[in-house]
Amino acid sequence: MRTFLKYREVWLLAAIVVLIGLISMRFPGFAAPANLRQVFNDTSILMILALGQMVVILTRSIDLSMASNLCFTGMVVAMLNAAHPAIPIPLLIVIALLVGLVLGAINGFLVWRLNIPSIVVTLGTLTIYRGATFVISGGAWVNADQMSTDFIGLQRAAFLGIPVLSWIAILVIALFFLLMTRTALGRSIYAIGVNPTASVYAGIDVGRTKFIVFCISGMIGGLCGYLWISRYVIASVEVANGYELNIIAACVIGGISIAGGIGSVGGAVLGALFLGITSNALPVINISPFWQMAISGSAIILAVVLNARGERRQGRIILKKAEAA
């Protein structure tokens, strides 16, 4: 039991349950299953983006350009759909993934081959990708009446009473869980975060692994480009402006260490859910948006303090010492 309680995710889940309970005292309908399903659905895009950011942060890097990637890719697929509504939606999703992959690969190449700090690279591409969105669109918007019914309707459909968007999030969560717990790449990602130098001696190509994680985050940004635009039915250069802060906040609250090597898929998902519940609940109980920002900020600071205390203990052991001959 004591070992179980050591996991950060357990305490975060408990905090979420307590938060829902406190909100339900003021607004009883908040804890209704239908409302909780809606909260999960509303938070699905943030959860997916947080997972993409997680793999980057675990390698002691950061991707500040995810929201701009989302904006650019969303504009690309929205313009394609408006100009050629006959293009199948699955093909548009593939295009979104490929465009996001290219943008992520640019980040990864600059970090890998030119050895530029990731915060510098992605701070630059954050502006470049959003500026490129303005260039390809001419500053114009793509509105709902320009989008096809299929483009808008896919994620709004339901399966077994759950929206398709939620199913997409569940699928992505499952894939990331398998990636991080059942593959050599997942072990390499953790190892690099714990000790990059030891990782090299263990035969891990640190630069190539970082390139791959930026490609993954780019593809996630591309996927969410389609999901965001089809959900909010408007594409503009202002889409998801500043949202990279929410993505990073979800990771930090979820226990993903900015120093790398510590964190889990469950933590990233719960961190996003915490923010989602907060953003959905506070307006319902008539709390000012300014207080919402203050509460979210306080949660981030508290999470950083808890992370710092946790990092004083030994991180996850990936590279074991060789036994003496």
Side-chain angles (χ1 to χ4, degrees), residues 208-261:
R208 181 174 175 271
T209 302
K210 287 190 176 184
F211 175 78
I212 292 173
V213 298
F214 275 104
C215 288
I216 292 172
S217 71
M219 292 181 70
I220 290 296
L223 171 64
C224 290
Y226 164 74
L227 296 177
W228 185 292
I229 300 304
S230 62
R231 178 169 178 76
Y232 298 109
V233 292
I234 187 168
S236 77
V237 73
E238 294 298 323
V239 161
N241 192 19
Y243 203 68
E244 54 276 346
L245 300 180
N246 297 57
I247 301 168
I248 295 170
C251 290
V252 172
I253 291 173
I256 313 301
S257 172
I258 296 296

Side-chain angles (χ1 to χ4, degrees), residues 38-125:
Q38 185 60 46
V39 170
F40 183 91
N41 194 60
D42 291 342
T43 315
S44 291
I45 294 176
L46 178 58
M47 286 190 289
I48 296 171
L49 289 167
L51 291 172
Q53 185 71 250
M54 176 196 72
V55 294
V56 176
I57 293 178
L58 285 174
T59 63
R60 301 191 177 188
S61 302
I62 196 164
D63 187 355
L64 299 177
S65 68
M66 285 194 78
S68 296
N69 180 332
L70 181 159
C71 178
F72 179 84
T73 307
M75 179 61 77
V76 168
V77 294
M79 292 176 66
L80 279 174
N81 179 253
H84 306 284
I87 297 177
I89 301 305
L91 179 57
L92 282 177
I93 294 175
V94 171
I95 292 171
L97 288 169
L98 292 176
V99 173
L101 173 62
V102 170
L103 299 183
I106 293 172
N107 290 335
F109 178 82
L110 294 173
V111 172
W112 174 25
R113 288 300 187 183
L114 301 185
N115 202 29
I116 305 174
S118 60
I119 191 170
V120 176
V121 169
T122 57
L123 186 61
T125 54

Side-chain angles (χ1 to χ4, degrees), residues 13 16 37 46 87 104 112 140 161 166 169 215 232 254 283 313-314:
L13 179 60
I16 290 173
R37 283 198 301 269
L46 178 58
I87 297 177
W112 174 25
S166 294
C215 288
Y232 298 109
R313 299 187 297 269
Q314 185 177 9

Side-chain angles (χ1 to χ4, degrees), residues 2-324:
R2 290 180 62 185
T3 302
F4 181 71
L5 292 176
K6 288 181 181 178
Y7 289 102
R8 171 71 179 278
E9 294 83 358
V10 174
W11 291 103
L12 183 54
L13 179 60
I16 290 173
V17 171
V18 170
L19 179 62
I20 293 174
L22 292 174
I23 295 168
S24 298
M25 294 173 63
R26 180 79 176 270
F27 181 68
F30 189 82
N35 188 68
L36 293 179
R37 283 198 301 269
Q38 185 60 46
V39 170
F40 183 91
N41 194 60
D42 291 342
T43 315
S44 291
I45 294 176
L46 178 58
M47 286 190 289
I48 296 171
L49 289 167
L51 291 172
Q53 185 71 250
M54 176 196 72
V55 294
V56 176
I57 293 178
L58 285 174
T59 63
R60 301 191 177 188
S61 302
I62 196 164
D63 187 355
L64 299 177
S65 68
M66 285 194 78
S68 296
N69 180 332
L70 181 159
C71 178
F72 179 84
T73 307
M75 179 61 77
V76 168
V77 294
M79 292 176 66
L80 279 174
N81 179 253
H84 306 284
I87 297 177
I89 301 305
L91 179 57
L92 282 177
I93 294 175
V94 171
I95 292 171
L97 288 169
L98 292 176
V99 173
L101 173 62
V102 170
L103 299 183
I106 293 172
N107 290 335
F109 178 82
L110 294 173
V111 172
W112 174 25
R113 288 300 187 183
L114 301 185
N115 202 29
I116 305 174
S118 60
I119 191 170
V120 176
V121 169
T122 57
L123 186 61
T125 54
L126 176 155
T127 306
I128 292 170
Y129 296 161
R130 198 164 289 274
T133 306
F134 181 87
V135 171
I136 65 172
S137 66
W141 294 13
V142 180
N143 298 309
D145 57 356
Q146 298 171 270
M147 301 176 188
S148 69
T149 303
D150 290 340
F151 184 89
I152 297 172
L154 174 63
Q155 63 166 301
R156 285 175 168 75
F159 177 68
L160 299 178
I162 299 175
V164 170
L165 176 58
S166 294
W167 283 115
I168 293 173
I170 292 170
L171 175 61
V172 172
I173 292 168
L175 290 175
F176 269 86
F177 178 79
L178 292 175
L179 169 68
M180 301 307 298
T181 61
R182 298 291 186 270
T183 69
L185 176 60
R187 291 189 290 273
S188 297
I189 290 170
Y190 277 113
I192 291 170
V194 172
N195 192 324
T197 303
S199 299
V200 173
Y201 287 110
I204 297 172
D205 190 329
V206 174
R208 181 174 175 271
T209 302
K210 287 190 176 184
F211 175 78
I212 292 173
V213 298
F214 275 104
C215 288
I216 292 172
S217 71
M219 292 181 70
I220 290 296
L223 171 64
C224 290
Y226 164 74
L227 296 177
W228 185 292
I229 300 304
S230 62
R231 178 169 178 76
Y232 298 109
V233 292
I234 187 168
S236 77
V237 73
E238 294 298 323
V239 161
N241 192 19
Y243 203 68
E244 54 276 346
L245 300 180
N246 297 57
I247 301 168
I248 295 170
C251 290
V252 172
I253 291 173
I256 313 301
S257 172
I258 296 296
I262 299 175
S264 68
V265 170
V269 170
L270 290 173
L273 272 175
F274 182 88
L275 289 179
I277 291 170
T278 302
S279 63
N280 275 272
L282 296 186
V284 171
I285 56 180
N286 298 320
I287 293 181
S288 163
F290 298 104
W291 278 109
Q292 293 177 43
M293 291 187 288
I295 292 172
S296 297
S298 300
I300 293 169
I301 293 173
L302 178 60
V304 170
V305 171
L306 292 175
N307 288 349
R309 292 186 62 186
E311 287 162 21
R312 292 174 187 170
R313 299 187 297 269
Q314 185 177 9
R316 179 173 177 173
I317 299 175
I318 303 297
L319 306 174
K320 296 182 179 180
K321 294 181 179 179
E323 295 181 358

